[in-house]
Structures are given as C-alpha cells and as structure tokens.
Amino acid sequence: MYKINENFQKLPGSYLFSTIGKKVAAYQQANPDKEIIRLGIGDVTQPLAPAIIEALHKAVDEMGNAATFRGYAPDLGYEFLRSAIANTDYKARGCDISADEIFVSDGAKSDSANIQELFAADSRIAVTDPVYPVYVDSNVMAGRTGEYDPKTEMWSNVIYMPSTAENGFVPELPKEVPDMIYLCLPNNPTGTTLTKDELQVWVDYANKNGSVIIFDAAYEAYISEADVPHSIYECEGAKTCAIELRSFSKNAGFTGVRLGFTVVPKELKCGDVSLNAMWARRHGTKFNGAPYIVQRAGEAVYSEAGKAQLKDQVAYYMNNAKVIKDGLAEAGYTVYGGVNAPYIWLKTPENMNSWEFFDFLLENANVVGTPGSGFGPSGEGYFRLTAFGNYENTVKALERIKAL
Ligand code: MLT
C-alpha cells in the first residue's frame, strides 16, 4: 500500500478562510432573508482599473492573431513586466534590484507557501504570533514544525514571536536563532508595521546570525507614513539575507486575476550556493509562467494612468479603514492598524474569545470578520475587519456594530 505524507494529518482543522466560508454559508442557508456583510477575508470588491482592463483587452486580441499569439511565457516572467517592477518598485525607491532578481508568479500566496522548499528539512522557522497561516501550514506539510499541542495551539518546533498590544506589535528578536524568519509588513492580521529603523534591526540580526528573512510585502501600497519602508531592500544589507514576496492582489485588485512576484537577490547565498539560481531551477521545473494576458495587465499597473487610478483605489479602501477604525473607537472598542494597512485589529468586548465574537457579530449584526485566534494563540481575544468591502456596506456594517 502506498503511504501518504503524514505531515498533512497533523494539520488541525481546515484552512482558516475555508472554515469561515463554511460557517457563513451555513448561517446564510439557515437565514436566507439576512443580508450578510463580508469583512472577513481580505478580498477586494472594486473593479479592475480602466488602464488594466484596456491592457487585458489588447492582450486578448493579440492572442487571437497568429502574428502576435504567445505560447508558454518565459519561466521567470516577461522582461517587460520584470523591468517595470525593477524600475518602479525598487530603483525608484533607491533599492538596487534588477530584473533578473525578480520571479513573476501567480501570486504571493503560492510563493509564500512554496519558498520553504529551498531550505533544509530540519530548518527551524520563526513566525510572529499572530501570523498569516500559510507560512506555518506550508512548513507543517513539509514536516518542519514538530508536533501540535491543541492546548497551547503551538507547534513544538516553531519559534513564536508574540506581537501584542503590550509590545506595540513590535516582536522581540528570537532568543533561539531560527534559520528562517517570516515577517509580513505592513502586517496581516494586525494592520500594524515597523519603521525602517526597526526593520533594520531584523536585517542586522539575520546577517549576524545566518538566518534568512522571508519578507511578505503584499500590503506595501497601503503605507501612508514616511518612515515605513515599502521594501526590505531599503534596509542596508538586506540583499544578503532577505527574500521579498509581492502581490498584485491588494494594490491592483488581482485576487481573481492572479499575479505576484518574488525577489531573490543574487547576493543571497548559503556558502557559495546562490538562492537566486535555486529558485530559478525550482520555478523552471514546477511552474510554466503566469499567463501573457495577465502579465500585460500587470505591466499596466506601472503605467502613468494605471498608477493614478490605483492610487485612487487604495485611497478608497483606506477611507473604508478610517470608517471602520473611527466607528469602532466611537463604539468603545480598542482598535489598532488601519493607518498603513487595510486591516483593523480590535480587542473583543467583554472578554469574549475570538470565535465567540465571530458568532456574536454574525448573528446580531450579520457582519463577517476574522477571529484573531485563527492567526495564532496571541490573536486570541482579538478580531480582524478588512477595509476591502465597498463603501456603502462598510458604513452599513459599522452602523450595525454601533447599534449592538
Ligand atoms: C487574508 O484575508 O488574510 C488574505 O486575503 C488571504 C490571502 O491573501 O491569501
């Protein structure tokens, strides 16, 4: 009889957002007349910007013409997109990242789950707590996390770095040295972030101790404060210790279109082995490129028209963030985030635990959010609301919450 990867059996429950989806569907089925407002998963609601739609139409027409038709995309992505990324996201911010350090993919979720393949099976990972569940779950599947303790909701071989209100959501450097450190900034789920000086401390720590940082910058477009870095490569020395993940989902509304990229600097080496070469080998073997049409849409994100339209889109969502944050504060909640990120992190009222508050909100306000404990034990007693809804629904949701 064949054997399965037993590590999958260790995973408790289903993926956080699948669990929420099932609970909401069951509630809706039992209460078909209720109008549910979904501020749970960070899924966008605004249509693609006109510059992107135009690029998609043009690329579709090219695919229908023998002279301009394209088959397999280059493994690492089309040059037109990688150059636009290198120039706009990096060189313009003073980061010396070139097109051949950029690997285009179908999104940051898959890259953040797959990147761990580059590292030894016995590598020790460190994660902030709370944390985007994909980092931990993908390492569970790879057999790196030890055993799960349902009481503490922790894995025996994972280093947890609590980010709590008590430490201002700035986690302490780990006492035991990890091999891989996952950082998501601006942070999902807390909506908080680090200044450049604070991030520099992590870069220096990684270089000094021989750790690699997996830096998830999916929410960088939402940064509004000047001292918050958009890329880890704004910090000195980051090219020798950090991989950066980026997404088009949140800054350009590509959650259903699918596009992202990963930066693996050529200076990032383990001994004399280049991680850039390893990721190129992995990408070439396991991935056949993001669709041409989608990469053209990605290129339009960097056009002058695209940039202006997306700035407005980000401002639209950040206005929702303000509506949520101000509304909750008015209703007496303790709230965090929402300034450099589209997430608002709130303390649950009356000592309800995160799932109790989820049920309370769903049943009494018909509003869906995300229980903080789903992101890790330090998220217990917290709750996340997303600013990615439409304005009218966001206002309505807050009116309902204020009336509770
Ligand atoms: C979230 O809600 O945390 C994100 O939308 C999930 C994701 O980007 O995969």
Side-chain angles (χ1 to χ4, degrees):
M1 183 68 181
Y2 60 83
K3 289 186 180 155
I4 55 160
N5 177 352
E6 290 290 346
N7 295 314
F8 277 65
Q9 303 304 100
K10 296 183 185 173
L11 286 164
S14 56
Y15 182 59
L16 174 62
F17 293 105
S18 316
T19 308
I20 293 173
K22 279 186 212 135
K23 269 184 145 272
V24 175
Y27 180 81
Q28 184 76 86
Q29 202 176 10
N31 301 276
D33 54 322
K34 301 282 189 208
E35 186 215 13
I36 296 175
I37 300 178
R38 290 172 168 77
L39 303 180
I41 191 166
D43 196 3
V44 294
T45 51
Q46 292 306 291
L48 294 172
I52 294 166
I53 291 295
E54 198 186 314
L56 282 167
H57 280 299
K58 189 161 167 266
V60 167
D61 287 343
E62 286 180 67
M63 294 298 268
N65 179 336
T68 49
F69 170 81
R70 313 268 185 136
Y72 289 125
D75 289 347
L76 310 185
Y78 282 101
E79 178 63 32
F80 61 75
L81 178 58
R82 297 162 82 206
S83 294
I85 293 169
N87 292 332
T88 319
D89 284 330
Y90 295 102
K91 295 214 161 72
R93 290 197 181 276
C95 306
D96 179 24
I97 295 293
S98 53
D100 57 2
E101 295 173 303
I102 293 164
F103 298 77
V104 174
S105 72
D106 66 346
K109 183 179 186 180
S110 26
D111 281 356
S112 68
N114 291 329
I115 199 76
Q116 46 77 28
E117 289 181 16
L118 295 188
F119 303 99
D122 61 355
S123 301
R124 195 91 195 274
I125 70 160
V127 292
T128 59
D129 171 25
V131 71
Y132 179 46
V134 173
Y135 313 149
V136 176
D137 287 4
S138 57
N139 278 287
V140 173
M141 292 171 182
R144 252 183 223 112
T145 53
E147 297 307 318
Y148 183 71
D149 179 348
K151 273 221 288 292
T152 59
E153 296 178 7
M154 285 174 158
W155 295 89
S156 59
N157 202 33
V158 172
I159 300 170
Y160 291 88
M161 307 179 291
S163 317
T164 58
E166 288 69 40
N167 61 19
F169 302 99
V170 180
E172 276 176 38
L173 293 169
K175 291 186 183 56
E176 302 161 79
V177 175
D179 298 297
M180 298 146 69
I181 302 171
Y182 287 86
L183 292 178
C184 173
L185 296 163
N187 187 252
N188 177 17
T190 65
T192 56
T193 193
L194 299 190
T195 63
K196 187 171 161 187
D197 289 347
E198 286 168 337
L199 185 58
Q200 184 68 53
V201 172
W202 289 84
V203 170
D204 293 344
Y205 173 91
N207 274 324
K208 181 164 158 245
N209 292 291
S211 309
V212 63
I213 298 177
I214 314 293
F215 188 77
D216 186 344
Y219 299 94
E220 66 77 32
Y222 292 85
I223 293 171
S224 67
E225 293 179 321
D227 59 351
V228 177
H230 288 247
S231 163
I232 195 165
Y233 304 115
E234 289 177 45
C235 294
E236 212 169 307
K239 286 176 72 179
T240 53
C241 68
I243 290 173
E244 182 163 295
L245 313 170
R246 289 278 190 110
S247 166
F248 286 77
S249 290
K250 319 292 173 171
N251 64 339
F254 279 36
T255 52
V257 178
R258 306 309 309 151
L259 192 66
F261 63 90
T262 287
V263 181
V264 189
K266 281 178 283 185
E267 285 166 44
L268 184 62
K269 291 195 170 147
C270 184
D272 56 6
V273 178
S274 154
L275 272 75
N276 178 290
M278 284 176 76
W279 192 241
R281 184 70 174 84
R282 189 261 168 212
H283 226 53
T285 304
K286 293 198 174 183
F287 188 58
N288 250 338
Y292 171 70
I293 297 165
V294 172
Q295 293 197 48
R296 280 293 183 202
E299 183 189 28
V301 167
Y302 297 98
S303 66
E304 286 312 313
K307 281 196 277 194
Q309 291 159 10
L310 293 173
K311 201 166 158 223
D312 290 349
Q313 205 169 79
V314 166
Y316 174 95
Y317 290 131
M318 285 312 275
N319 184 46
N320 288 348
K322 191 168 164 12
V323 167
I324 299 172
K325 196 166 181 171
D326 293 353
L328 289 172
E330 215 178 289
Y333 288 83
T334 305
V335 281
Y336 306 94
V339 175
N340 293 296
Y343 294 128
I344 285 84
W345 187 242
L346 59 119
K347 186 91 197 75
T348 57
E350 290 160 30
N351 291 325
M352 274 189 240
N353 75 32
S354 301
W355 278 107
E356 282 166 355
F357 188 64
F358 174 90
D359 291 332
F360 173 79
L361 211 59
L362 180 59
E363 280 158 28
N364 297 290
N366 304 140
V367 171
V368 180
T370 308
S373 56
F375 298 99
S378 294
E380 184 56 278
Y382 286 88
F383 199 74
R384 193 193 77 177
L385 291 175
T386 164
F388 286 124
N390 71 39
Y391 175 72
E392 293 72 21
N393 279 347
T394 304
V395 169
K396 206 190 283 181
L398 265 294
E399 274 162 12
R400 291 187 194 169
I401 293 173
K402 280 193 244 171
L404 286 173

